[in-house]
Structure formats: structure tokens, C-alpha cells
């Protein structure tokens, strides 16, 4: 259904926030955030520590309730979220993925088969029987991506997915992120929103960049325009200063 002011027939954004604010006691974590995310977009969230990136991801995923404003987003069963340090059960890698599917109503035999298929997708099938806590950091993040992909989400949210990885593991995870957004398993466009401190990663993976500072959106631009320093300085000088390392 179109919102007031929309052109007739304009698709409703996959995610929409209108004046969203979040307060934790005396701390205002998000302030008046208004934005839309369209199906199929790859959107990067950047900003310093405490800028609101993680809070915004958690609001979209339904883990945090806004204290003001409105949020429209897919139901959580249509989303998947990866955290900086993925949480895994003390069982095998395959079971960690299958259990998530089983909890969503997939029969156990089918869940195991889909879990193995997901592990093959991230080139970890040979570790299916290994206990998940024994994986390396890069393997753990790839397993978490397999678990997310197996759920066949419409929206994939990632919070600093390569923050603690070595360059080789980071490259592997980035390649998977790019592959997942290029081919959605259910033929619907997969939308990705990720928080990152790595501007090179943002250039490689994002179509659009949202820069946050103290819970506010400083800039929201296509990636090429965001990294055009003259243009960014003219519309969002504080964001330009962050990109140049001056903040």
C-alpha cells in the first residue's frame, strides 16, 4: 500500500523508519532517524563508536523497540542477523544450522539437508561434523553466514562482520556477502544492511552509504557520491571529516 504522497504504483520500501528515536536511560542512542531501504539494496552504515550503527540494526531486526517514531520492516522470521561474535551452540556445525531451521518448522531431516547445502555454499561442508566452538574466527563467521543463508531471509543484517578477522578470512567473508546479495535462494532480491569501520569494504560491497554520528543521520548517499570528497563536504561536512580521518 502506498503512503500519502507516493506515486500510484510505487512499491513500498522493504524497511521504513520515520522519526525513530531510541533512549537508554539518559543516553539518546538514535535521534529522529528517517530513511527507506528498498528491496535488493546493499547499504553500509558507518560512523564512530557509539554513533548508533548497532542500535539501528537491532531496531530494524526487532531486538530494540523504538522509544519514538515508526518502523516498518519485514517480520523477524524473514530476516537474519549476524553479530560481531556469532553465538553457537556446543554441538556440531551442521546441527547449529539445522536447529535454527527446525525451530522455524522445517522437518528435522529436511533441516539437516538444508544445513549441509548451506555449508557447501560457504565451503565448510567438510567441517559439518566438527563442534562449532572449535572453529577459527573466520570459519565461525562463515558458518554464521551459512546459518543465515539457510533461513532464506529477505533482509540480511550484519554488525561489523569482519571486525576481528585476519585479511584472508575477511576476504572470504566479503566474497560470501557479495555472492549472497547477487543470488537470493528464493528468487526474491536479498537486501543487505551492514555496519563497518572499513571504508574499503564499504566501497567494495555497498551501493549506498549512511553515515551516523551521535544517533543522527549525517549523510545518506550512493556510494560513488559518498566517496566524492568535494560533494560530501558540500552536503555533510562532518561526514566528510569522518571519512578523511579528521574526527
Amino acid at each position: 500500500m502506498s503512503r500519502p504522497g507516493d506515486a500510484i504504483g510505487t512499491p513500498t520500501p522493504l524497511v521504513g523508519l520515520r522519526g525513530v528515536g531510541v533512549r537508554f536511560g539518559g543516553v539518546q542512542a538514535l535521534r529522529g532517524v528517517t530513511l527507506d531501504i528498498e528491496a535488493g539494496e546493499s547499504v553500509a552504515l558507518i560512523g564512530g563508536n557509539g554513533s548508533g550503527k548497532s542500535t539501528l540494526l537491532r531496531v530494524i531486526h526487532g531486538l530494540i523497540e523504538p522509544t519514538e517514531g515508526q518502523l516498518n520492516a519485514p517480520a523477524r522470521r524473514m530476516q537474519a542477523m549476524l553479530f560481531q561474535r556469532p553465538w553457537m551452540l556446543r554441538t556440531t556445525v551442521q546441527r547449529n544450522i539445522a536447529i535454527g531451521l527446525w525451530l522455524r518448522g522445517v522437518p528435522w531431516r529436511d533441516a539437516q539437508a538444508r544445513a549441509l547445502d548451506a555449508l557447501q555454499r560457504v565451503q565448510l561442508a567438510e567441517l559439518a561434523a566438527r563442534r562449532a566452538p572449535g572453529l577459527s574466527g573466520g570459519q565461525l563467521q562463515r558458518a554464521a553466514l551459512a546459518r543465515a543463508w539457510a533461513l532464506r531471509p529477505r533482509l540480511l543484517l550484519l554488525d561489523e562482520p569482519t571486525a576481528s578477522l585476519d585479511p584472508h578470512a575477511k576476504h572470504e567473508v566479503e566474497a560470501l556477502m557479495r555472492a549472497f546479495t547477487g543470488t537470493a535462494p528464493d528468487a526474491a532480491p536479498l537486501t543487505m544492511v551492514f555496519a563497518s569501520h572499513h571504508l574499503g569494504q564499504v566501497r567494495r560491497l555497498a551501493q549506498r552509504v549512511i553515515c551516523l554520528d551521535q544517533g543522527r543521520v549525517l549523510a545518506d548517499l550512493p556510494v560513488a557520491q559518498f566517496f566524492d570528497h568535494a560533494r560530501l563536504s558540500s552536503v555533510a561536512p562532518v561526514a566528510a571529516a569522518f571519512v578523511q580521518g579528521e574526527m
Side-chain angles (χ1 to χ4, degrees):
M1 182 172 64
S2 298
R3 296 186 306 274
D6 283 349
I8 295 175
T10 300
T12 301
L14 184 67
V15 177
L17 293 89
R18 296 291 179 270
V20 167
V22 173
R23 179 178 290 277
F24 301 120
V27 177
Q28 189 76 35
L30 290 180
R31 305 167 185 263
V33 174
T34 294
L35 57 87
D36 289 330
I37 297 172
E38 305 293 340
E41 280 195 292
S42 179
V43 180
L45 306 179
I46 72 167
N49 292 331
S51 61
K53 304 186 300 298
S54 295
T55 301
L56 180 54
L57 288 172
R58 284 161 172 77
V59 166
I60 293 172
H61 197 46
L63 299 178
I64 296 175
E65 189 77 18
T67 50
E68 59 187 30
Q70 295 182 331
L71 166 70
N72 290 307
R76 199 183 301 176
R77 63 182 175 79
M78 300 172 67
Q79 302 184 31
M81 184 166 178
L82 270 71
F83 300 91
Q84 287 188 39
R85 292 179 175 81
W87 181 80
M88 291 277 177
L89 296 171
R90 294 183 178 277
T91 184
T92 67
V93 177
Q94 185 176 5
R95 280 177 172 267
N96 264 279
I97 299 170
I99 286 170
L101 293 166
W102 177 74
L103 289 172
R104 293 199 180 187
V106 178
W108 182 246
R109 184 184 297 273
D110 294 340
Q112 288 181 303
R114 277 175 56 176
L116 186 58
D117 181 57
L119 287 171
Q120 290 172 339
R121 187 79 162 82
V122 302
Q123 299 180 345
L124 286 180
E126 72 279 6
L127 301 181
R130 181 179 295 185
R131 291 177 63 83
L135 298 180
S136 68
Q139 291 169 341
L140 190 62
Q141 198 67 293
R142 285 159 60 197
L145 276 167
R147 182 169 59 185
W149 185 80
L151 296 173
R152 299 178 180 172
R154 292 188 63 198
L155 177 61
L156 178 61
L157 307 170
L158 307 100
D159 192 359
E160 297 283 356
T162 63
S164 59
L165 303 183
D166 62 45
H168 178 70
K170 180 170 71 173
H171 174 76
E172 291 180 327
V173 170
E174 283 189 9
L176 289 170
M177 291 167 65
R178 188 179 296 110
F180 286 174
T181 54
T183 307
D186 57 359
L190 177 60
T191 305
M192 181 171 71
V193 183
F194 66 99
S196 180
H197 280 108
H198 301 288
L199 297 183
Q201 182 177 83
V202 171
R203 283 180 183 267
R204 290 188 291 272
L205 298 178
Q207 299 168 335
R208 171 181 167 198
V209 185
I210 297 172
C211 183
L212 297 163
D213 180 56
Q214 298 182 16
R216 295 187 178 91
V217 174
L218 296 182
D220 182 354
L221 293 167
V223 66
Q225 295 181 20
F226 187 86
F227 286 103
D228 180 337
H229 184 66
R231 180 178 179 85
L232 185 61
S233 296
S234 68
V235 298
V238 178
F242 174 81
V243 172
Q244 293 297 309
E246 296 172 10
M247 290 181 61

